[in-house]
Amino acid sequence: SKFGGGSIYFDGTGDSLNPANSSDYAFGTGDFTVDCWLYKINTVAWETMFDTYSTGGSDGFICGLWDSSSTMGFYSESGIGWTNAGGTEVGLNTWYHLALVRNGNNIRLYINGTLDSAFASTTFSGALNNSSSWIYIGETRTGSDETNGYVDEYRISWVARYTSNFT
């Protein structure tokens, strides 16, 4: 674990957390932050940190590690599509703090407190989960693209916690 003596372990074969459907995940156009600590054990083709799915199916988003390069990627169903431009690689056997932040129309990804260069100018004005939604942690809604490693201190906040690099 990174803090407190315990974390969740995903072995990469069908593990995930899937809290009940809730309007708590209806971010809409508001500010929010989703962050966690990740300790990867193995690199797989795509590792999902979180995936949201709305009851309408048209305004969810996915954030995770892209392909075998293990750089951050973001996908929005409601217009932005895939965003990944190479960015910072997340390596094995090391704790990394990952944060997805929406601040107004800015979508930012931070790794260990540093803005990932691939997301320095990503903007999006549409809604992200404007209705009651599900959230998947550790795999996608289709049961694929599993994380292989440990996740600690997973947090969802309805504020933009980070708007510049932080320690």
Side-chain angles (χ1 to χ4, degrees):
S1 69
K2 179 68 177 170
F3 300 105
S7 63
I8 187 163
Y9 172 65
F10 297 108
D11 67 8
T13 57
D15 302 329
S16 69
L17 293 176
N18 181 243
N21 177 345
S22 173
S23 60
D24 289 342
Y25 313 124
F27 299 113
T29 57
D31 294 350
F32 68 88
T33 302
V34 180
D35 62 336
C36 67
W37 287 89
L38 171 68
Y39 185 97
K40 285 179 23 142
I41 294 173
N42 190 20
T43 297
V44 296
W46 171 259
E47 296 173 73
T48 304
M49 297 312 304
F50 34 92
D51 179 3
T52 65
Y53 179 71
S54 68
T55 54
S58 63
D59 58 1
F61 65 93
I62 299 170
C63 185
L65 302 178
W66 178 266
D67 207 5
S68 59
S69 67
S70 291
T71 58
M72 292 298 291
F74 175 79
Y75 172 79
S76 166
E77 293 174 320
S78 57
I80 198 172
W82 279 109
T83 300
N84 176 277
T88 305
E89 181 178 350
V90 174
L92 299 177
N93 305 314
T94 302
W95 283 104
Y96 289 90
H97 182 256
L98 308 176
L100 167 68
V101 179
R102 181 175 190 165
N103 182 25
N105 290 337
N106 297 318
I107 302 290
R108 300 292 184 258
L109 286 162
Y110 294 88
I111 300 174
N112 289 336
T114 302
L115 176 63
D116 189 319
S117 62
F119 296 90
S121 61
T122 303
T123 60
F124 179 67
S125 60
L128 295 170
N129 294 93
N130 208 28
S131 61
S132 205
S133 304
W134 289 271
I135 189 163
Y136 296 80
I137 301 167
E139 72 178 1
T140 64
R141 67 193 83 155
T142 61
S144 62
D145 306 325
E146 295 95 350
T147 297
N148 188 203
Y150 297 90
V151 175
D152 202 0
E153 299 293 313
Y154 195 92
R155 173 174 63 176
I156 299 172
S157 307
W158 286 263
V159 296
R161 288 190 172 274
Y162 314 110
T163 57
S164 62
N165 291 345
F166 58 94
T167 302

